[in-house]
Amino acid sequence: DSKARGEQVWLLMHVPAGVDVYATLHARDSALVTMLAPARAAGFLSLLREFSGTVRYNLYGHTHMN
């Protein structure tokens, strides 16, 4: 709807579609671990490409440190 009206949106999310550095550093097999399951991340990134002119900001907050 926002795209049809020419509006821009902000995405405020808890879990980013990126690398989970902590899990990657602690993986036994040295595998790269992502915050989202690969299929979900791919779908999300596809939507970001589709709505790249509509999504103005994409903000995440997922740090669990002192």
Side-chain angles (χ1 to χ4, degrees), residues 13-31:
M13 303 169 63
H14 179 65
V15 179
V19 174
D20 183 334
V21 176
Y22 181 85
T24 297
L25 291 174
H26 292 87
R28 291 179 182 240
D29 60 0
S30 300

Side-chain angles (χ1 to χ4, degrees), residues 6-62:
E7 298 172 343
Q8 294 187 331
V9 300
W10 290 19
L11 298 180
L12 306 173
M13 303 169 63
H14 179 65
V15 179
V19 174
D20 183 334
V21 176
Y22 181 85
T24 297
L25 291 174
H26 292 87
R28 291 179 182 240
D29 60 0
S30 300
L32 184 67
V33 180
T34 58
M35 293 289 224
L36 298 177
R40 290 192 184 268
F44 177 68
L45 294 174
S46 176
L47 286 172
L48 283 181
R49 282 190 291 276
E50 180 181 349
F51 294 101
S52 62
T54 302
V55 176
R56 177 73 175 172
Y57 294 107
N58 196 4
L59 306 170
Y60 304 99
H62 195 93

